[in-house]
Amino acid sequence: MTFFKPAYILLDTKINDPIGFEDYKVAAKPIVEKFGGKYLTRGGKMNVVQKDLWAPERIVLIQFPSMRAAHDFLDSPDYATVKDIRLASSNTTLMVLEGLAKVLIEN
């Protein structure tokens, strides 16, 4: 058996420039996918049940195959110019989370 630990990039975003942010979304998606990322949620409906520490605005959750893949995406030259669009059009809290180990079934 082979084990792996996925990683997740979690973003909470307040959009200040909706047109600029749409440009970011279009440009970021293929780069996310290039690094093995998969969007699990992208600003959909949200029901905040408790907000003692934080009141989220817009949540995005992206799964990557590993912490390395997530950081390679964030640090890549491909993403650098796209990141500038995000920074100019929004305020964001971003974190990289290590997931629980999963088993790959080998045939």
Side-chain angles (χ1 to χ4, degrees):
M1 273 189 260
T2 304
F3 294 90
F4 78 101
K5 284 186 177 183
Y8 302 89
I9 293 179
L10 176 67
L11 301 100
D12 181 11
T13 305
K14 179 180 180 196
I15 299 170
N16 302 318
D17 173 4
I19 294 169
F21 199 79
E22 283 301 314
D23 293 341
Y24 166 76
K25 287 172 31 180
V26 169
K29 187 175 187 294
I31 303 167
V32 165
E33 292 169 348
K34 176 181 176 181
F35 286 88
K38 176 182 169 186
Y39 286 93
L40 300 180
T41 185
R42 197 172 188 189
K45 245 184 209 180
M46 179 174 47
N47 182 10
V48 178
V49 177
Q50 184 173 347
K51 58 180 182 179
D52 292 343
L53 296 177
W54 143 56
E57 295 271 334
R58 179 183 184 276
I59 297 294
V60 174
L61 182 63
I62 311 167
Q63 180 180 18
F64 285 87
S66 64
M67 292 287 280
R68 176 175 293 272
H71 283 285
D72 286 350
F73 159 72
L74 290 171
D75 298 335
S76 72
D78 292 341
Y79 183 62
T81 55
V82 176
K83 177 182 174 182
D84 288 342
I85 299 169
R86 178 176 58 80
L87 294 173
S89 62
S90 67
N91 297 98
T92 302
T93 296
L94 184 154
M95 61 190 80
V96 181
L97 307 165
E98 184 175 62
L100 299 174
K102 294 185 178 186
V103 177
L104 290 176
I105 299 174
E106 297 177 355
N107 295 345

